[in-house]
Amino acid sequence: MPAYVITCPVCKQRYKAMNVPSTPQPFVCKKCGYTAMLGTAPPTKGVTNSEATAAMPSGKTRLAQSTDQGTKVIAGGENEVKAYLTISGTGAKLVLTPGVYIMGRKSSDSNATLQLAPDITMSRQHVRIAVQSVGGKVMSQIIGLKAANPVIVNGKVLPAGQPLTLKSGDRLQLGNTIVVYTV
């Protein structure tokens, strides 16, 4: 049975698998949390890993059958579908490509990947948002990280740790900052 290698495009962590799913299945990198769907493209037969990777268009999930080293699977890509966050008040627009982001307050001691505003009512790490491409469409899921400082989605408090799939037009309130999610 051939061995498969799944390489995270964000942190380059490599994982070994015994098979590639025939139906789309989520891949979540244990190191950085990047999420992508695997099994969305048919394998290419009879080429080496390097030939298949070079021949495939950028921005697609690639599955390439190798004649000598098994199959190389690269999760996600750079030019996939995008989602957007627009910060109300400033109009700043953030582009989200598939991956996992931590949103929080903009400050010198914040290590959030998306620092939204210098709002002291927002936590430094307020929410986690996972963006993935499913069948050519974007799907985003948000999880509040702080029970004491929840995220409010369309006027309703989202309990910490409870995931919610976002829809285009959803209004997120983090502290006093309003962010609109669009696809």
Side-chain angles (χ1 to χ4, degrees):
M1 182 171 249
Y4 299 90
V5 177
I6 301 170
T7 304
C8 176
V10 177
C11 68
K12 308 301 182 212
Q13 180 71 34
R14 296 171 55 129
Y15 300 92
K16 287 187 179 180
M18 293 311 295
N19 58 30
V20 174
S22 57
T23 59
Q25 299 291 320
F27 160 78
V28 179
C29 177
K30 292 175 185 167
K31 183 176 178 185
C32 72
Y34 175 83
T35 304
M37 295 302 285
L38 295 180
T40 57
T44 306
K45 302 256 185 220
V47 295
T48 66
N49 287 339
S50 60
E51 290 169 338
T53 303
M56 295 297 285
S58 177
K60 303 288 183 197
T61 300
R62 298 173 290 236
L63 309 177
Q65 180 71 38
S66 171
T67 55
D68 56 348
Q69 296 176 2
T71 298
K72 180 177 184 180
V73 180
I74 301 174
E78 301 81 26
N79 299 322
E80 294 187 67
V81 294
K82 297 175 178 90
Y84 303 92
L85 293 174
T86 306
I87 302 172
S88 294
T90 65
K93 195 172 206 174
L94 305 170
V95 179
L96 301 176
T97 57
V100 177
Y101 305 90
I102 301 295
M103 296 191 308
R105 175 172 69 217
K106 186 177 198 173
S107 67
S108 61
D109 59 347
S110 174
N111 59 357
T113 52
L114 295 175
Q115 296 183 20
L116 302 178
D119 178 354
I120 61 169
T121 60
M122 185 188 317
S123 299
R124 289 175 189 89
Q125 293 189 352
H126 204 101
V127 297
R128 180 177 76 99
I129 185 166
V131 181
Q132 61 184 344
S133 174
V134 180
K137 295 184 179 183
V138 70
M139 184 183 90
S140 300
Q141 195 171 58
I142 191 168
I143 297 175
L145 300 175
K146 305 283 183 178
N149 201 4
V151 61
I152 299 169
V153 181
N154 297 326
K156 295 181 183 176
V157 173
L158 180 64
Q162 180 179 330
L164 175 73
T165 301
L166 295 174
K167 300 178 302 297
S168 190
D170 279 350
R171 294 174 55 88
L172 313 174
Q173 182 176 345
L174 292 83
N176 291 325
T177 303
I178 305 290
V179 180
V180 179
Y181 170 85
T182 54
V183 195

